[in-house]
Amino acid sequence: MNQFKPIFLGTVASTDDMSKLKRAVDTQKCIRAGGKHNDLDDVGKDSYHHTFFEMLGNWSFGDYFKKEAIGWSWELLTKVYGLDPNRLYVTYFEGNPEMGLEPDLEAKDLWLSVGVPEDHILPGNMKDNFWEMGDQGPCGPCSEVHYDKVGGRNAAHLVNQDDPLVVEVWNNVFIQFDRQKDKSLKSLPAKHVDTGMGFERLVSALQEKPSNYATDIFTPLFAKIQEVTGARDYTDKYGKDDLDGIDTAYRVVADHIRLLTFSISDGAVPNNDGRGYVVRRVLRRGSRYARKYFNAEIGSFFSKILPALVDQMGEQFPDIVRKQKDVKEILDEEEEAFARTLDRGEKQFEKYAAQAASTGAKKLSGADVWRLYDTFGFPEDLTKLMAEERGLNIDEEEVAIAREKAREASKSIKDSVQTFAKPNVHQIAELKDKLQISTPDDEPKFTKGDIKAKVQLVFTGTEFLESTKDLPLKTPFGILLDRTNFYAEQGGQVADTGRIVIDDVAEFKVLDVQQFGGYVVHNGYLDYGVLKSGDEVICEYDELRRQPIRNNHTGTHILNHSLREVLGDEVNQKGSLVDQDKLRFDFSHKVQVTVPELKKIEDLSNSYIRQNCKIYSKDVELDLARQINGVRAVFGETYPNPVRVVSVGIDVDMLLEKPENPEWRKVSVEFCGGTHVEQTGIIKDLVIVEESGIAKGIRRIVAYTGDAAHAVQRDAEEFGKRIELIEAMSFGPEKESEVKQATADLNNLVTSTVLKDALKSRFNKVVKSVVDEQKKRQKAESKIALDAVTGHFAKKENKDAKYFIGHLPISANSKAVSDVLNHFKSKDKERTVYMFGGSPSEGAVVHGVYVGTHVASSGVTAETWSAAVSEIVGGKSGGKEPTRQGQGNNADKIDEAVEAARKWLEEKLKL
Ligand code: ATP
Ligand code: MG
């Protein structure tokens, strides 16, 4: 119902098409896997809850109400759908005297009147039969319809009892009250209807199936799961009847692919909070089911089920067809990352579970649950589920305490552990000569996945140690390994973060990685345990962080290439930064890069990306590598020999066959030691968000790739919609303030420079039309003001009047006031004018005075006069004699001020 909230709250803008709606019918994509509505724990276990489902609804916005809604719902269910009325039960709100709520007997009578027998109409409590959006605002009673799947009995006593055979199918909400701050209820002037019918539950009733999963909504998904896993047939068994757990796993996988597909196509990406974490949790939960019960290999499992869903629902929901490729990529990436720890996490869980069992405890300790999350990425609800399978519980409060403790600790560590000691030349020499330590093999950094390695030494900054046993936990130091997959900061690419672990024995958090003369120091702190020389450890860099870094690094090469294509050969790299958020590229170029040029650069880069070129790399003799036509190297940089050559699209060996080939200039070839994507398509998109000058002759471009690029494009699209709304507004203070706000927001918007430029030129037209209108009104008001004053003096009876004091029919318009003052100052010097503008409804007053020569001769000054007025209307005044202008907020005192100004002058003239 979120999309309709503004209508219910009465905040919908009159320019919004939605404001014209009186009625609506729709299907809503509902997710209940977190927050207020969370059915995740039931999914797999029962027959009628899903994490994702379609909620069919009909809506009335101040149009039809209870009588029609009840009549029509009964007609739809029994006549149109042909459900047996004897199997239907309805509920109505029983009232709540404590809350001052009457029973909804109106609903009860209406159900009776359409023919529902009295013993099928049941009262229900606040929880089931009263709906509120929040502590305040629209609310009202609701009336549910339940369906008995058995029939031939009176099942009234099973309604709302969690019986899988008597389930709620439809809920009709009658929004008739507005809850006030003080908790009292006010009747709403416009009453609304909001109903929700679970499509999957309706289908199970229509197809006469005992469960939602036995309907043809799920059959195609189950068929696909069977095809992919080779599992036995689905038999729709539950709980203990599902002996091998396979039916449960079928349900979980089929349910979860629906949630994953719909949420990712709507723009959610798996991460650690909010809706992103819902996606992550559900994917991990599903992966574990798939592996445990179907023996499926995790890494690209869900994306294999995806085509069946797209086939089934793509016609009604074209977004999932459009986004299918993105969904697959995101699912695979995320699954792959979890696959790395799933196995080890399960083993660790077994250990913890065995420990708990051996001590007779009925639960896993909170610290263990937290560790499973922190080290292996097991969401709490997954651990809970695994624990339940073993007859164990988890104590959520204990977990929360462990989580909080760990957060506090890591916060304080990250504050204190900022800088790490670097080994100096003597220490490096000591490593090499005295300690005879060889530099590590760091090739694994170019491959995905964890590796095993051996600890060589621990570096404290002052000395090398063989063990951490004398070092306090959570203090900074470095670790040297015989081999590593961690990327040490180099060539503009930031260092990896991650961890070095011996499961359940020791864990070292890696915050930074640096290399010195070929030695790689993993800097960070020990979270628990002891590490010593010779220990075998698992090296885990943060893959989910590395992945956007990879995108950005290959993106940098492509950008560098496009820059030369568009701006010419003089463009040379002057600096570069590649991190998980962005790429930043500095280059020599004398003038600002124009927007059309930026567009060309972006387009060229994106067409390179879309070609889905393979990335090749190879170590090559430096002299030979330098001969490759068009190779990009940074001037003045010393490169190792052999040097690593990275080429986007053409095999390095092929380049070397004929290095001088002029065709090679069309290819991005660079000397580079960084990590790259396998195929350019993974980058998805490159969007330039900034172009600026950083020094004479040096420009900087900042660009986003992948999901970040899509996010900023979406922001631009949203802003476009906002402009559209503003364009449709008619001129007035509302539009003026919207334009002001939007101008500021547009300036601050971080988005595609090209799109922003288009937004700006479109928005400037809106701004201009507002300014023009303001000017027009301004001019008109100046004229009104001047006419009023000159008109006064033109009257016969005022022919000899020396002054005018009065409230003019204008807004609080200072410009109109000063126009009048200027007129008198230059054209009618003798006469005096004190005028006021504004009104109580506007909440502002302006006033202005010109002291003509006649009055001035009595010693009157504009300054003292206007000070007397300001005292009444508030604010201050300013200006140069003989004029003065001011403004204030006491607009309801304008008349009083006019009188006071008059009295003040009369007093002065009397003297
Ligand atoms: P239940 O008590 O069965 O969980 P509910 O009270 O949470 O239902 P409502 O919030 O009233 O349900 O939602 C309206 C309709 O949406 C329900 O009548 C039902 O048909 C459907 N529905 C609700 N939750 C789910 C779910 N998790 N899976 C499938 N359908 C659901
Ligand atoms: Mg529910």
Side-chain angles (χ1 to χ4, degrees):
M1 65 150 330
N2 271 320
Q3 71 278 24
F4 295 133
K5 254 189 191 172
I7 306 189
F8 294 135
L9 293 170
T11 55
V12 60
S14 56
T15 47
D16 194 326
D17 278 345
M18 215 158 69
S19 69
K20 296 174 195 87
L21 281 185
K22 288 267 167 237
R23 302 174 175 188
V25 287
D26 64 359
T27 169
Q28 303 178 87
K29 297 175 274 186
C30 281
I31 286 183
R32 291 192 173 177
K36 197 170 99 187
H37 288 294
N38 186 355
D39 292 336
L40 181 62
D41 287 344
D42 288 329
V43 170
K45 293 181 194 156
D46 80 12
S47 59
Y48 60 109
H49 282 98
H50 313 296
T51 58
F52 168 88
F53 62 99
E54 282 185 72
M55 200 193 276
L56 311 177
N58 57 297
W59 308 79
S60 158
F61 310 112
D63 194 53
Y64 64 83
F65 198 53
K66 226 176 268 187
K67 180 168 189 288
E68 294 84 353
I70 287 182
W72 292 338
S73 63
W74 190 250
E75 185 185 339
L76 180 66
L77 290 171
T78 59
K79 303 256 161 52
V80 182
Y81 294 155
L83 291 178
D84 177 1
N86 295 320
R87 292 191 182 204
L88 293 170
Y89 297 82
V90 300
T91 64
Y92 68 94
F93 180 49
E94 67 188 2
N96 185 326
E98 263 165 50
M99 306 285 284
L101 292 166
E102 296 290 321
D104 189 8
L105 297 176
E106 188 190 357
K108 182 180 178 187
D109 290 340
L110 287 167
W111 287 116
L112 277 171
S113 76
V114 297
V116 184
E118 186 138 20
D119 61 352
H120 281 225
I121 305 177
L122 312 161
N125 57 18
M126 283 295 273
K127 182 181 139 288
D128 287 324
N129 287 79
F130 198 84
W131 176 88
E132 302 203 49
M133 187 147 59
D135 298 348
Q136 248 174 285
C139 58
C142 48
S143 207
E144 308 155 332
V145 184
H146 295 252
Y147 182 75
D148 174 19
K149 294 187 171 177
V150 178
R153 59 176 180 172
N154 186 314
H157 62 290
L158 296 174
V159 167
N160 270 332
Q161 298 301 319
D162 294 329
D163 185 310
L165 296 175
V166 182
V167 296
E168 177 189 329
V169 287
W170 201 350
N171 196 357
N172 283 255
V173 184
F174 308 117
I175 304 175
Q176 61 191 93
F177 301 119
D178 187 14
R179 185 166 307 275
Q180 306 294 301
K181 243 198 199 125
D182 65 5
K183 297 272 168 262
S184 66
L185 291 172
K186 248 195 186 161
S187 183
L188 272 179
K191 299 186 172 46
H192 313 289
V193 175
D194 157 3
T195 86
M197 170 155 57
F199 173 67
E200 298 75 9
R201 294 189 190 179
L202 173 69
V203 173
S204 85
L206 289 175
Q207 299 188 340
E208 295 178 37
K209 301 287 187 202
S211 107
N212 291 4
Y213 292 94
T215 66
D216 52 19
I217 295 173
F218 286 93
T219 324
L221 296 174
F222 290 165
K224 189 71 179 180
I225 294 169
Q226 187 168 41
E227 178 195 318
V228 169
T229 64
R232 66 156 172 82
D233 288 344
Y234 177 72
T235 58
D236 204 34
K237 293 272 191 316
Y238 293 83
K240 289 203 180 67
D241 297 334
D242 179 25
L243 290 175
D244 53 7
I246 297 281
D247 281 356
T248 306
Y250 264 114
R251 288 189 286 271
V252 167
V253 169
D255 171 90
H256 288 10
I257 185 67
R258 287 163 40 104
L259 177 138
L260 295 169
T261 306
F262 278 91
S263 54
I264 295 172
S265 356
D266 273 358
V269 278
N271 57 37
N272 277 340
D273 50 40
R275 65 176 191 172
Y277 193 51
V278 171
V279 179
R280 175 162 289 171
R281 268 163 49 218
V282 166
L283 182 84
R284 294 188 172 182
R285 186 178 189 261
S287 300
R288 193 255 172 186
Y289 268 101
R291 214 187 62 132
K292 183 167 166 81
Y293 294 96
F294 293 131
N295 260 322
E297 193 177 325
I298 300 309
S300 57
F301 173 72
F302 274 100
S303 64
K304 295 198 181 87
I305 315 298
L306 174 65
L309 180 66
V310 174
D311 273 354
Q312 185 196 15
M313 297 184 80
E315 198 178 322
Q316 301 91 309
F317 298 97
D319 273 353
I320 65 171
V321 184
R322 264 197 313 126
K323 295 286 175 63
Q324 183 169 359
K325 214 172 129 243
D326 288 356
V327 173
K328 177 184 159 32
E329 275 166 18
I330 291 175
L331 286 176
D332 287 353
E333 262 161 25
E334 179 68 13
E335 233 182 86
E336 205 177 284
F338 186 49
R340 298 168 69 176
T341 52
L342 177 56
D343 211 19
R344 286 164 42 212
E346 286 225 49
K347 281 198 193 111
Q348 193 57 47
F349 168 81
E350 294 301 330
K351 259 197 218 165
Y352 290 150
Q355 266 163 27
S358 72
T359 59
K362 282 268 173 294
K363 63 173 188 186
L364 280 186
S365 85
D368 291 350
V369 177
W370 169 251
R371 168 92 14 100
L372 284 168
Y373 168 77
D374 190 40
T375 310
F376 306 102
F378 278 40
E380 193 180 322
D381 46 30
L382 173 56
T383 303
K384 182 171 165 209
L385 194 119
M386 292 164 60
E388 279 167 5
E389 289 173 353
R390 304 295 220 86
L392 293 169
N393 235 323
I394 71 173
D395 181 338
E396 272 157 41
E397 217 161 284
E398 243 184 62
V399 184
I401 292 168
R403 180 190 314 127
E404 217 21 65
K405 250 170 80 181
R407 282 223 175 111
E408 290 287 313
S410 87
K411 222 170 63 204
S412 67
I413 290 164
K414 273 189 189 135
D415 289 344
S416 66
V417 183
Q418 292 279 0
T419 49
F420 298 95
K422 298 180 178 136
N424 59 34
V425 279
H426 308 291
Q427 288 167 326
I428 292 171
E430 182 189 345
L431 270 180
K432 199 149 75 193
D433 304 329
K434 198 166 136 218
L435 298 166
Q436 302 261 313
I437 298 288
S438 53
T439 57
D441 166 18
D442 67 349
E443 271 302 300
K445 73 185 175 194
F446 295 121
T447 55
K448 280 189 188 169
D450 304 338
I451 60 160
K452 290 198 172 135
K454 281 209 172 72
V455 174
Q456 288 175 309
L457 286 173
V458 174
F459 178 59
T460 65
T462 48
E463 57 182 337
F464 295 102
L465 301 177
E466 299 231 314
S467 164
T468 64
K469 69 179 188 327
D470 296 329
L471 297 174
L473 291 179
K474 304 178 199 238
T475 55
F477 61 88
I479 286 189
L480 283 83
L481 304 169
D482 66 339
R483 56 197 298 260
T484 184
N485 55 357
F486 278 88
Y487 186 83
E489 181 184 341
Q490 192 207 336
Q493 180 177 332
V494 293
D496 278 336
T497 59
R499 51 163 64 97
I500 294 171
V501 277
I502 306 174
D503 281 347
D504 208 32
V505 172
E507 176 167 335
F508 181 81
K509 307 252 192 209
V510 180
L511 302 180
D512 182 39
V513 186
Q514 297 291 333
Q515 72 168 313
F516 307 93
Y519 290 101
V520 176
V521 185
H522 305 80
N523 290 312
Y525 63 91
L526 199 57
D527 199 26
Y528 63 91
V530 171
L531 288 174
K532 50 189 185 319
S533 301
D535 275 351
E536 184 170 270
V537 291
I538 298 169
C539 307
E540 253 181 70
Y541 64 80
D542 185 345
E543 164 59 23
L544 293 170
R545 181 172 170 277
R546 171 81 82 81
Q547 176 237 320
I549 294 178
R550 257 186 232 121
N551 285 346
N552 287 334
H553 205 150
T554 311
T556 303
H557 284 208
I558 289 176
L559 175 72
N560 188 1
H561 181 260
S562 306
L563 281 171
R564 184 174 61 186
E565 293 283 298
V566 175
L567 301 179
D569 275 353
E570 305 77 61
V571 169
N572 275 306
Q573 175 170 348
K574 291 291 172 198
S576 137
L577 173 75
V578 174
D579 65 23
Q580 65 273 34
D581 302 319
K582 62 177 179 302
L583 63 94
R584 200 178 74 196
F585 192 75
D586 301 339
F587 55 98
S588 52
H589 188 62
K590 295 210 176 60
V591 291
Q592 182 173 8
V593 187
T594 65
V595 170
E597 283 170 335
L598 287 174
K599 171 138 186 19
K600 263 197 200 160
I601 293 163
E602 221 176 68
D603 287 349
L604 198 63
S605 302
N606 284 317
S607 80
Y608 212 153
I609 289 170
R610 305 263 144 71
Q611 283 167 35
N612 203 17
C613 301
K614 201 173 158 199
I615 317 297
Y616 297 89
S617 63
K618 190 173 184 179
D619 286 339
V620 179
E621 274 308 307
L622 189 54
D623 282 341
L624 179 58
R626 283 198 191 279
Q627 291 167 27
I628 301 173
N629 198 349
V631 65
R632 301 297 257 170
V634 180
F635 184 75
E637 177 100 14
T638 43
Y639 288 100
N641 190 12
V643 68
R644 188 162 176 267
V645 176
V646 174
S647 152
V648 183
I650 302 219
D651 195 335
V652 178
D653 285 328
M654 208 164 129
L655 297 173
L656 295 175
E657 270 169 30
K658 198 178 167 205
E660 70 286 2
N661 187 343
E663 284 294 302
W664 299 160
R665 293 189 73 81
K666 296 186 191 140
V667 183
S668 155
V669 187
E670 295 200 22
F671 295 166
C672 173
T675 61
H676 290 271
V677 295
E678 290 132 23
Q679 310 262 144
T680 56
I682 295 171
I683 303 171
K684 292 184 195 133
D685 248 316
L686 183 144
V687 172
I688 296 172
V689 299
E690 185 191 318
E691 193 281 338
S692 58
I694 54 162
K696 195 170 177 320
I698 299 182
R699 310 295 306 176
R700 165 170 291 178
I701 280 182
V702 177
Y704 290 167
T705 64
D707 294 331
H710 286 169
V712 294
Q713 283 168 322
R714 263 201 304 277
D715 291 345
E717 217 171 276
E718 289 294 308
F719 206 93
K721 284 188 202 146
R722 183 164 165 200
I723 296 180
E724 212 167 282
L725 286 181
I726 299 176
E727 282 168 342
M729 288 168 89
S730 43
F731 182 82
E734 209 187 328
K735 181 164 186 166
E736 289 177 275
S737 86
E738 249 307 298
V739 164
K740 207 167 145 197
Q741 186 59 46
T743 306
D745 291 347
L746 182 55
N747 276 332
N748 294 331
L749 186 70
V750 176
T751 186
S752 150
T753 308
V754 173
L755 294 178
K756 189 164 172 172
D757 186 66
L759 286 173
K760 273 198 168 154
S761 55
R762 179 169 171 198
F763 190 59
N764 282 343
K765 289 199 191 103
V766 182
V767 174
K768 183 164 182 303
S769 78
V770 167
V771 171
D772 286 352
E773 187 61 32
Q774 281 167 336
K775 272 193 196 144
K776 213 165 89 194
R777 296 198 180 205
Q778 161 62 46
K779 266 198 186 148
E781 282 210 323
S782 285
K783 184 164 183 314
I784 291 171
L786 191 59
D787 286 354
V789 182
T790 54
H792 171 87
F793 287 121
K795 281 191 191 145
K796 224 192 241 152
E797 66 267 31
N798 298 331
K799 206 163 63 143
D800 298 322
K802 294 292 176 234
Y803 58 87
F804 164 85
I805 301 172
H807 183 191
L808 306 180
I810 57 168
S811 63
N813 182 335
S814 318
K815 179 75 171 55
V817 169
S818 68
D819 281 352
V820 175
L821 297 182
N822 286 336
H823 170 88
F824 280 85
K825 208 158 91 182
S826 59
K827 301 216 172 81
D828 194 353
K829 296 193 173 118
E830 199 196 357
R831 282 168 163 150
T832 293
V833 179
Y834 205 128
M835 71 202 125
F836 293 77
S839 64
S841 68
E842 208 183 331
V845 195
V846 292
H847 56 113
V849 56
Y850 164 71
V851 179
T853 51
H854 181 86
V855 167
S857 63
S858 306
V860 170
T861 64
E863 184 182 0
T864 47
W865 196 0
S866 64
V869 168
S870 287
E871 251 175 53
I872 300 169
V873 299
K876 281 189 181 142
S877 71
K880 225 168 88 193
E881 295 297 335
T883 67
R884 198 136 177 127
Q885 268 183 265
Q887 50 196 14
N889 295 324
N890 305 338
D892 48 345
K893 292 202 174 151
I894 298 182
D895 293 343
E896 194 184 310
V898 172
E899 270 327 292
R902 187 186 313 283
K903 284 228 176 77
W904 189 93
L905 182 66
E906 283 168 3
E907 291 290 317
K908 283 279 171 192
L909 294 180
K910 256 190 229 156
L911 294 173

Short mmCIF file of all heavy atoms in Angstrom, two decimals, residues 32 37-39 42 49 168 201, ligand 2:
data_model
loop_
_atom_site.label_atom_id
_atom_site.label_comp_id
_atom_site.label_asym_id
_atom_site.label_seq_id
_atom_site.Cartn_x
_atom_site.Cartn_y
_atom_site.Cartn_z
N ARG A 32 7.72 -10.23 2.75
CA ARG A 32 7.64 -10.28 4.21
C ARG A 32 8.77 -11.13 4.74
O ARG A 32 8.59 -12.30 5.05
CB ARG A 32 6.28 -10.84 4.65
CG ARG A 32 5.15 -9.86 4.33
CD ARG A 32 3.84 -10.23 4.98
NE ARG A 32 2.89 -9.14 4.76
CZ ARG A 32 1.63 -9.19 5.16
NH1 ARG A 32 1.17 -10.25 5.79
NH2 ARG A 32 0.83 -8.16 4.93
N HIS A 37 6.74 -7.10 9.26
CA HIS A 37 6.16 -8.35 8.76
C HIS A 37 7.30 -9.29 8.39
O HIS A 37 8.01 -9.04 7.44
CB HIS A 37 5.36 -8.09 7.49
CG HIS A 37 4.07 -7.38 7.75
ND1 HIS A 37 3.05 -7.95 8.47
CD2 HIS A 37 3.65 -6.15 7.38
CE1 HIS A 37 2.04 -7.10 8.52
NE2 HIS A 37 2.38 -5.99 7.89
N ASN A 38 7.48 -10.34 9.13
CA ASN A 38 8.56 -11.27 8.80
C ASN A 38 8.05 -12.70 8.86
O ASN A 38 7.84 -13.25 9.93
CB ASN A 38 9.73 -11.06 9.76
CG ASN A 38 10.93 -11.89 9.35
OD1 ASN A 38 10.84 -12.69 8.41
ND2 ASN A 38 12.04 -11.71 10.03
N ASP A 39 7.85 -13.30 7.71
CA ASP A 39 7.36 -14.68 7.66
C ASP A 39 8.47 -15.66 7.28
O ASP A 39 8.20 -16.83 7.06
CB ASP A 39 6.20 -14.79 6.66
CG ASP A 39 4.95 -14.05 7.14
OD1 ASP A 39 4.82 -13.87 8.37
OD2 ASP A 39 4.12 -13.63 6.31
N ASP A 42 8.77 -19.12 8.80
CA ASP A 42 7.75 -20.11 8.45
C ASP A 42 7.97 -20.73 7.08
O ASP A 42 7.39 -21.77 6.76
CB ASP A 42 6.36 -19.44 8.43
CG ASP A 42 5.88 -19.11 9.84
OD1 ASP A 42 6.25 -19.86 10.76
OD2 ASP A 42 5.16 -18.11 10.00
N HIS A 49 2.69 -19.67 3.76
CA HIS A 49 3.43 -18.41 3.89
C HIS A 49 4.60 -18.41 2.91
O HIS A 49 5.31 -19.41 2.79
CB HIS A 49 3.96 -18.21 5.31
CG HIS A 49 2.92 -17.73 6.26
ND1 HIS A 49 2.26 -18.59 7.11
CD2 HIS A 49 2.41 -16.49 6.48
CE1 HIS A 49 1.37 -17.89 7.82
NE2 HIS A 49 1.44 -16.62 7.46
N GLU A 168 -6.57 -17.68 6.13
CA GLU A 168 -7.08 -16.37 5.70
C GLU A 168 -6.70 -16.16 4.24
O GLU A 168 -5.55 -16.36 3.85
CB GLU A 168 -6.42 -15.29 6.56
CG GLU A 168 -6.81 -13.90 6.16
CD GLU A 168 -5.98 -12.83 6.88
OE1 GLU A 168 -5.56 -13.07 8.04
OE2 GLU A 168 -5.75 -11.77 6.28
N ARG A 201 -2.79 -18.10 -2.13
CA ARG A 201 -3.78 -18.79 -1.30
C ARG A 201 -5.10 -18.95 -2.06
O ARG A 201 -5.77 -19.96 -1.95
CB ARG A 201 -4.01 -18.03 0.00
CG ARG A 201 -2.76 -18.03 0.89
CD ARG A 201 -3.07 -17.45 2.26
NE ARG A 201 -1.83 -17.24 3.01
CZ ARG A 201 -1.78 -16.73 4.23
NH1 ARG A 201 -2.91 -16.36 4.83
NH2 ARG A 201 -0.64 -16.58 4.85
MG MG B 2 1.09 -12.78 8.77
#
